Amino acid sequence: QVQVVESGGGLVQAGGSLRLSCVTSGSIFGINVAGWYRQAPGKQRELVAGITRGGGSINYADSVKGRFTISRDNANTVYLQMNSLKPEDTAVYYCNVDAYYSGSYRSFWGQGTQVTVSS
């Protein structure tokens, strides 16, 4: 069984910072692509940032470029450093990993962590 657990969300004032963490556990043999997504009330889930194995390729949504930084360690943890937060960044943030499990790469989602930015 594979678990993806996000943490680090919370309430912050505009201009503040938060650091989200995503830990994957279980019988996996490596993570290929990992990404952070967010979903605000009444809106579709959108990709915020993605990173490939080893950090060789990173991409960001235009709305967060220059403010958010995605990174990962050599194990199973992915981070999202969020600076200069804006009220429009308020959403539930989800981690998605493409992990090698039971003979193939499969996509796994976390349960999400709430980020609320007050004006």
Side-chain angles (χ1 to χ4, degrees):
Q1 188 169 349
V2 178
Q3 281 192 317
V4 178
V5 180
E6 304 100 333
S7 62
L11 173 64
V12 64
Q13 288 189 330
S17 298
L18 286 173
R19 189 191 197 207
L20 306 184
S21 298
C22 168
V23 178
T24 303
S25 61
S27 301
I28 63 171
F29 294 91
I31 293 174
N32 191 15
V33 178
W36 285 97
Y37 292 74
R38 67 186 181 187
Q39 187 167 19
K43 295 188 176 182
Q44 288 188 329
R45 189 173 297 188
E46 63 174 352
L47 175 67
V48 175
I51 185 168
T52 57
R53 185 192 297 270
S57 179
I58 294 174
N59 65 291
Y60 296 98
D62 288 343
S63 58
V64 306
K65 282 180 181 177
R67 301 187 298 121
F68 291 11
T69 303
I70 189 171
S71 62
R72 59 190 292 177
D73 63 11
N74 292 327
N76 299 332
T77 304
V78 184
Y79 305 96
L80 185 68
Q81 177 67 44
M82 305 186 295
N83 298 327
S84 301
L85 283 161
K86 304 175 181 180
E88 51 263 43
D89 294 318
T90 295
V92 178
Y93 283 70
Y94 297 91
C95 179
N96 176 263
V97 298
D98 190 37
Y100 196 85
Y101 174 74
S102 192
S104 64
Y105 279 99
R106 304 184 184 193
S107 179
F108 298 92
W109 289 91
Q111 81 291 345
T113 185
Q114 176 71 47
V115 171
T116 302
V117 184
S118 63
S119 57

